[in-house]
Amino acid sequence: MSQEIYISGMGIAPEVLATVVTRSVEEIEGVASVGVKDLAANLVSMFSTRSASSAPAVEATVEDDKLAITVHLVVFFGYPFKNLAEIVRAAVVHGIDAQVGVEVSRVDVCIDGLVFPKE
């Protein structure tokens, strides 16, 4: 297990925060997956010269007793990135507040892959 993240007098495993973030955004219309996995990984590797990312799907650090979160996504083509990122940010802040109860200083959204519809 990874090193715990300490905030507001409690230690939280990064995997727990990743689960909260993933559950908060996985049902958002336009999000294919949180992180690069399964179908999305196969599509990215088939249609890209780069290999699928090995970075964690969700990263969290503590800055001034607030969480700074980075979430890596694969998204569906046709959803404007800026609008989708704003929806994801709001969902992450809400999910962390509701489940963990700590403030989020920022949410960085990284779009690591794009899935095109079948034609």
Side-chain angles (χ1 to χ4, degrees), residues 6-26:
Y6 289 92
I7 186 167
S8 296
M10 65 181 150
I12 305 169
E15 295 83 3
V16 172
L17 293 173
T19 299
V20 172
V21 170
T22 299
R23 295 292 303 244
S24 298
V25 302
E26 67 186 356

Side-chain angles (χ1 to χ4, degrees), residues 66-79:
K66 298 177 186 174
L67 283 176
I69 297 173
T70 301
V71 59
H72 296 266
L73 302 175
V74 174
V75 301
F76 290 111
F77 179 78
Y79 292 86

Side-chain angles (χ1 to χ4, degrees), residues 30-32 74-81 84 113-117 119:
V31 173
V74 174
V75 301
F76 290 111
F77 179 78
Y79 292 86
F81 293 167
L84 190 56
L114 188 60
V115 176
F116 292 92
E119 294 183 312

Side-chain angles (χ1 to χ4, degrees), residues 8-9 24 30 37 46 48-49 56 64 70 75 82 85 95 99 103 109:
S8 296
S24 298
K37 56 186 170 188
M46 283 190 325
S48 176
T49 57
D64 298 323
T70 301
V75 301
K82 186 175 180 181
Q99 186 65 41
E103 194 172 344
V109 178

Side-chain angles (χ1 to χ4, degrees), residues 1-104:
M1 187 175 287
S2 300
Q3 185 71 21
E4 286 187 338
I5 295 171
Y6 289 92
I7 186 167
S8 296
M10 65 181 150
I12 305 169
E15 295 83 3
V16 172
L17 293 173
T19 299
V20 172
V21 170
T22 299
R23 295 292 303 244
S24 298
V25 302
E26 67 186 356
E27 298 297 322
I28 294 173
E29 187 176 348
V31 173
S33 70
V34 178
V36 179
K37 56 186 170 188
D38 301 333
L39 173 63
N42 292 337
L43 290 171
V44 167
S45 63
M46 283 190 325
F47 298 111
S48 176
T49 57
R50 67 180 180 88
S51 61
S53 174
S54 61
V58 177
E59 302 165 48
T61 57
V62 177
E63 298 175 351
D64 298 323
D65 210 34
K66 298 177 186 174
L67 283 176
I69 297 173
T70 301
V71 59
H72 296 266
L73 302 175
V74 174
V75 301
F76 290 111
F77 179 78
Y79 292 86
F81 293 167
K82 186 175 180 181
N83 294 341
L84 190 56
E86 288 302 320
I87 294 167
V88 167
R89 284 185 188 101
V92 168
V93 169
H94 175 73
I96 291 292
D97 181 52
Q99 186 65 41
V100 183
V102 298
E103 194 172 344
V104 177

